[in-house]
Amino acid sequence: MKKNTLVILSDLWGIHKSEWVSYYTERLAPFFEIRYYDSCELAGIDTTVLSKEQIHKAFVGGGIDRAVQQLTNVLSSEPVHILAFSIGGYIAWKAIEKGITNHQVCLVSATRLRYETQKSKAAIQLVYGEKDAYKPSPEWFEAMEIAPVILPDVTHDLYTDAIAAHQICEMLLLDKHIDTIIAPR
């Protein structure tokens, strides 16, 4: 039986600072064919010589649009599951607006969504840290008709933590209706 495809989109740092992504790929690989996309690469941003502020500026100054277009081009023909982090979550949201077909979508710490005013066409699960100062407001969640998962006592980079990663993976697997959930290693 062919596995469903899970697209994972990186955060602002891309592959250069994403050792944590193994928390997800190791746990989810038995259930999905995983495709990892570096958000910086999709956006045409070289992170090796830039600061966090410069990378952020490059995304806002056209990188997001380039990444959305690239992602839309590579995912135009098949429905996929999506797991995306921070800026990758925003890129996924915008690509869904452009028409990529999806099954299940989980966006973690996608704080730029707070600027969106149109509801998503897809059923989306949003995950934020309770102490993430830039997460959307309760009013935004209500207007978008999304009930977020708010993890207690964690900040924006919660997804880099093994325990939070395990919780997020279990949410994905439960949504996928997998009967047997294997305990964390």
Side-chain angles (χ1 to χ4, degrees), residues 89-106:
Y90 188 66
I91 292 165
W93 177 287
K94 300 302 267 182
I96 290 165
E97 284 182 354
K98 296 275 187 192
I100 66 168
T101 307
N102 57 77
H103 293 294
Q104 174 186 29
V105 180
C106 180

Side-chain angles (χ1 to χ4, degrees), residues 50-108:
L50 299 176
S51 69
K52 181 178 181 178
E53 292 75 23
Q54 290 169 317
I55 295 169
H56 183 265
K57 188 175 180 179
F59 269 112
V60 174
I64 290 170
D65 293 336
R66 284 189 301 276
V68 169
Q69 186 59 52
Q70 289 286 353
L71 189 63
T72 303
N73 290 346
V74 296
L75 299 180
S76 63
S77 63
E78 63 181 293
V80 294
H81 296 265
I82 299 171
L83 173 60
F85 304 96
S86 193
I87 197 75
Y90 188 66
I91 292 165
W93 177 287
K94 300 302 267 182
I96 290 165
E97 284 182 354
K98 296 275 187 192
I100 66 168
T101 307
N102 57 77
H103 293 294
Q104 174 186 29
V105 180
C106 180
L107 309 180
V108 182

